[in-house]
Amino acid sequence: MNTADLGLPVDVPSTALFTDHYELTMLQAALEAGTADRRSVFEVFTRRLPEGRRYGVVAGTGRVLDAVENFRFDADVLRFLRERRIVDEKTLEWLAGYRFSGDIWGYPEGEVYFPGSPIMRVEGSFAECVLLETVILSILNHDSAIAAAASRMASAAGDRPLIEMGARRTHELAAVAASRAAYVGGFATTSDLAAGFRYDIPTVGTSAHAFTLLHDNERDAFRAQVDSLGRGTTLLVDTYDVTEAVRLAVEVAGPELGAVRIDSGDLLLVAHRVRQQLDELGAHDTRIIVTSDLDEYAIASLAAAPVDGYGVGTQLVTGSGHPTASMVYKLVARAESDDARAPLVPVAKKSSGGKTSIGGRKWAARRLDAHGVAEAEVIGTGPVPPELADRQLLVELVRGGQVVGREPLDVVRDRHAAARAGLPLSATQLSRGDAVIPTAYV
């Protein structure tokens, strides 16, 4: 199913305007110069991981495929470009027939990556590839940042489930993408119904403090919720006094009460007290869910607490301090001439300030040690060494303009869990450090 057909509102009629003005002016100039059809290779990579992070997570690939399919300059878009005099008539005519006809390869979604990893490779004419730069980076930078934060939180949580609940802390459409990325990174559910509708992510939710405050007393609020949702519901117990609320919750729902949620206070201390009280009241199977501005560090600090699940919002949807993955989209090779048979030549930016890049169409493979644990990210432009032939990371995503790499989200989620498990144990440490494995160029 093409998720763009599900009709969530956007401010432009196609993904074609999710781009920067200069992409179109470059196109116009290349058309005029006769270089627009020159075969080109662009790559997405990051020069460094966010400070202190040990690995990155590829997320948003499926959304990139949707965006490429729907990158169309329809009549309304062309009218806008004409009225603003953004490009000339020759360029508008070219855009009217735009369909990406090239190839895209990339790390499979959910895979981990490191500095220099060629996360995505886009091949075709310069004209058709350059237009995709902004939308590809917009998706991958956002989703990969969220997935990396989610992965760290999932690692800290261990076997305890995580609920994504950050919709009210970000743009309404970003919230849907964040839910998807969080699911890739290891979250189990989301509170965002749009994400559930669009991506079939399991949704959960019961009540907020407003529901308790609506009623004359806490007992009435709990009774109304249990009568409506059943004894297996989750009751919010920190609106007034937690101890009294837990007593009322078990009195109303009985020991079959599904869970209680704590949203404030010293969560470590309160969780221990609530667990003791629940056990004393015979509610041994009632779970404890904690929320309240959690991040991976707070989750890790609760590892020894009697907590059964976590709800995370603000820190997740903002990348836990790193809202972008700092990926770039660079031309790394182009044909010597306009001849379709002309060989590719490597090209690269050379500048000071750490913004240099390495030219050439690249392959990537992950070298493993004797125990099957990753020990290096190997990147090259020449022949692939025989010992790495079956460890190559890039997979085909688009062939001749047709999507061939779309996958179910659960497959992506499972892939990430396996990829993270294949890294050295230090990858899951929350203390600051460098990339857990080095990048080696051959």
Side-chain angles (χ1 to χ4, degrees):
M1 177 174 57
N2 186 345
T3 57
D5 292 336
L6 295 178
L8 286 178
V10 293
D11 293 328
V12 294
S14 78
T15 56
L17 289 186
F18 289 129
T19 192
D20 287 308
H21 187 121
Y22 79 171
E23 312 290 8
L24 299 188
T25 54
M26 282 193 288
L27 169 64
Q28 177 177 310
L31 288 170
E32 184 66 25
T35 53
D37 291 332
R38 187 167 291 185
R39 189 160 55 101
S40 300
V41 180
F42 287 82
E43 288 177 352
V44 176
F45 63 93
T46 184
R47 296 183 176 95
R48 64 191 64 85
L49 296 176
E51 184 180 358
R53 298 289 173 88
R54 305 298 182 91
Y55 61 92
V57 180
V58 178
T61 307
R63 296 208 307 121
V64 167
L65 299 180
D66 292 339
V68 170
E69 279 190 331
N70 290 282
F71 204 90
R72 304 283 187 268
F73 292 84
D74 60 25
D76 289 337
V77 171
L78 293 171
R79 185 180 304 112
F80 165 79
L81 297 175
R82 179 177 291 109
E83 291 173 350
R84 296 293 182 94
R85 298 185 179 181
I86 292 171
V87 289
D88 61 19
E89 286 298 324
K90 177 183 177 180
T91 306
L92 289 171
E93 182 179 348
W94 189 93
L95 291 173
Y98 179 86
R99 299 290 186 275
F100 180 73
S101 63
D103 303 325
I104 300 178
W105 289 69
Y107 280 37
E109 189 167 14
E111 184 58 84
V112 296
Y113 69 87
F114 301 92
S117 296
I119 295 161
M120 187 169 285
R121 188 175 71 222
V122 182
E123 304 184 35
S125 71
F126 175 84
E128 63 181 338
C129 295
V130 75
L131 294 182
L132 298 177
E133 175 181 5
T134 301
V135 70
I136 287 177
L137 288 179
S138 176
I139 292 170
L140 293 181
N141 268 316
H142 174 269
D143 290 24
S144 296
I146 305 305
S151 178
R152 285 162 59 87
M153 293 173 187
S155 179
D159 295 331
R160 299 170 178 177
L162 290 157
I163 307 164
E164 185 281 312
M165 47 194 303
R168 62 191 63 191
R169 298 291 187 254
T170 189
H171 185 281
E172 67 271 20
L173 297 181
V176 181
S179 293
R180 182 185 183 281
Y183 192 68
V184 170
F187 275 58
T189 54
T190 180
S191 67
D192 191 331
L193 290 177
F197 172 73
R198 191 160 189 170
Y199 297 117
D200 200 29
I201 300 169
T203 61
V204 295
T206 50
S207 68
H209 292 103
F211 185 77
T212 300
L213 296 170
L214 168 68
H215 293 82
D216 293 337
N217 55 62
E218 209 163 28
R219 182 191 298 275
D220 289 348
F222 289 170
R223 172 55 62 195
Q225 184 173 327
V226 170
D227 287 348
S228 175
L229 302 178
R231 296 177 185 272
T233 192
T234 299
L235 295 176
L236 182 58
V237 296
D238 72 326
T239 305
Y240 305 118
D241 179 78
V242 172
T243 301
E244 176 61 13
V246 171
R247 186 189 69 78
L248 285 172
V250 176
E251 183 178 309
V252 169
E256 299 85 11
L257 174 63
V260 295
R261 177 163 76 95
I262 307 166
D263 189 50
S264 60
D266 183 335
L267 297 178
L268 179 62
L269 176 62
V270 175
H272 277 286
R273 289 177 175 174
V274 168
R275 180 74 270 160
Q276 181 179 353
Q277 185 180 6
L278 287 169
D279 290 343
E280 290 172 351
L281 293 170
H284 302 285
D285 296 326
T286 299
R287 295 172 297 116
I288 297 175
I289 308 299
V290 296
T291 52
S292 186
D293 292 328
L294 298 177
D295 62 10
E296 60 266 48
Y297 301 100
I299 292 169
S301 73
L302 293 168
V307 171
D308 300 286
Y310 308 91
V312 189
T314 303
Q315 293 300 319
L316 174 67
V317 300
T318 57
S320 194
H322 297 287
T324 177
S326 298
M327 295 177 186
V328 294
Y329 183 97
K330 297 297 180 183
L331 181 66
V332 296
R334 49 91 174 163
E336 287 184 339
S337 69
D338 297 336
D339 189 329
R341 296 167 297 179
L344 290 171
V345 294
V347 295
K349 174 182 178 180
K350 294 182 179 179
S351 66
S352 59
K355 284 195 170 183
T356 58
S357 56
I358 298 174
R361 182 180 185 273
K362 300 175 192 66
W363 53 264
R366 191 160 298 145
R367 189 169 67 230
L368 308 182
D369 65 15
H371 303 286
V373 177
E375 65 176 11
E377 193 87 338
V378 185
I379 298 170
T381 57
V384 180
E387 67 273 17
L388 295 176
D390 62 350
R391 299 298 309 167
Q392 293 189 72
L393 291 163
L394 278 77
V395 299
E396 193 174 25
L397 300 172
V398 176
R399 181 193 310 136
Q402 300 299 311
V403 172
V404 296
R406 188 173 278 116
E407 299 178 298
L409 201 54
D410 283 332
V411 171
V412 173
R413 188 171 185 267
D414 291 344
R415 176 183 293 120
H416 175 63
R420 187 177 63 202
L423 296 175
L425 286 176
S426 57
T428 60
Q429 291 179 342
L430 297 181
S431 57
R432 292 186 179 276
D434 296 327
V436 72
I437 61 173
T439 301
Y441 292 93
V442 298

